[in-house]
Amino acid sequence: MKCPSCKEERLSLWMGGQLGMIYFCKNCGYKGPIAIDDSK
Ligand SMILES: [Zn+2]
């Protein structure tokens, strides 16, 4: 997964639950539901 803000590739899962997944970027501090999946 990539950060949509800074394109950091080490985006980590911060929180998951009924409302959906929230990702956290250690590089720029982004937190949100959007992660770029470029695994294809
Ligand atoms: Zn980032």
Side-chain angles (χ1 to χ4, degrees):
M1 295 297 205
K2 274 190 185 178
C3 173
S5 181
C6 71
K7 307 299 191 281
E8 166 64 47
E9 293 185 3
R10 285 166 291 173
L11 197 63
S12 57
L13 182 63
W14 184 59
M15 185 182 292
Q18 292 181 341
L19 296 179
M21 301 297 208
I22 302 294
Y23 299 94
F24 173 62
C25 176
K26 293 175 185 171
N27 191 47
C28 72
Y30 165 83
K31 266 183 231 158
I34 300 170
I36 300 173
D37 183 357
D38 64 346
S39 61
K40 293 175 185 173

